[in-house]
Amino acid sequence: MIYRLTVECIDGWHYDHETIRVIEIDENAVLYDLFDIIREANGFGWEHMHMFYLGRNPRNMKIVFGDEKEYYGKECRPYDSTLNQIYPLGNLKFYFLYDFGDKWIFQIRKSRKRIKAEANVKDLRIIERIGDDPLSQLYSE
């Protein structure tokens, strides 16, 4: 089955315009795969630290997923966790943090509807882009 995820930028040092990406990804994909498609969809490179986390709000990191063993005293769960291991979220929300300096925070929302995988269709793809990439206005001036 395929999850349809809405990935919306909700904060960042230079955040000043709407940035939403809708992606489809296999329910068994690992967070490395999700990072790669979010990075590609938003024009980010590989050069900045990043992580996923669950919390009640963007400033509350209850469960952290990352490459480090711990982050600010919180144990990090493996980055090779699958989406099926993360969902359902219960009363928590799913976030992605890119660049620990600029702190680009994205909220990831899953559609309730699961989609049956189609033959000959990529397991992950960007299906909609709303707004410019987060850094686009910095480089266009």
Side-chain angles (χ1 to χ4, degrees), residues 8-19:
E8 180 176 5
C9 185
I10 59 172
D11 201 7
W13 187 46
H14 309 289
Y15 176 71
D16 63 357
H17 61 279
E18 182 178 58
T19 302

Side-chain angles (χ1 to χ4, degrees), residues 3 5-6 12 29 31 38 80 88 98 106 113 124 137 140:
Y3 286 148
L5 303 176
T6 300
L31 292 178
I38 291 173
D80 61 355
Y98 179 81
F106 295 81
K113 180 180 171 187
L124 62 151
Q137 292 189 0
S140 64

Side-chain angles (χ1 to χ4, degrees), residues 31-49:
L31 292 178
Y32 282 116
D33 297 328
L34 183 56
F35 161 68
D36 195 36
I37 196 164
I38 291 173
R39 182 195 60 75
E40 177 187 333
N42 289 286
F44 291 139
W46 293 93
E47 65 274 5
H48 293 289
M49 293 181 69

Side-chain angles (χ1 to χ4, degrees), residues 36-74:
D36 195 36
I37 196 164
I38 291 173
R39 182 195 60 75
E40 177 187 333
N42 289 286
F44 291 139
W46 293 93
E47 65 274 5
H48 293 289
M49 293 181 69
H50 52 275
M51 69 178 184
F52 290 91
Y53 63 97
L54 304 176
R56 294 188 190 275
N57 61 60
R59 303 289 179 237
N60 170 256
M61 295 180 183
K62 188 165 180 71
I63 300 172
V64 176
F65 299 87
D67 285 331
E68 304 298 320
K69 291 194 188 313
E70 72 175 51
Y71 179 75
Y72 285 107
K74 296 190 181 291

Side-chain angles (χ1 to χ4, degrees), residues 2-11 15 18-25 34 38 52-55 58 83 86-87 89 92-96 105-113 127-128 130:
I2 302 292
Y3 286 148
R4 180 168 289 165
L5 303 176
T6 300
V7 181
E8 180 176 5
C9 185
I10 59 172
D11 201 7
Y15 176 71
E18 182 178 58
T19 302
I20 300 171
R21 305 294 183 253
V22 180
I23 62 175
E24 289 183 347
I25 188 166
L34 183 56
I38 291 173
F52 290 91
Y53 63 97
L54 304 176
L83 292 174
I86 295 170
Y87 287 107
L89 302 175
L92 300 176
K93 296 177 183 175
F94 190 22
Y95 297 99
F96 172 67
I105 299 174
F106 295 81
Q107 184 173 352
I108 303 168
R109 296 183 307 276
K110 182 178 74 68
S111 170
R112 292 178 191 249
K113 180 180 171 187
I127 62 169
E128 185 176 2
I130 300 169

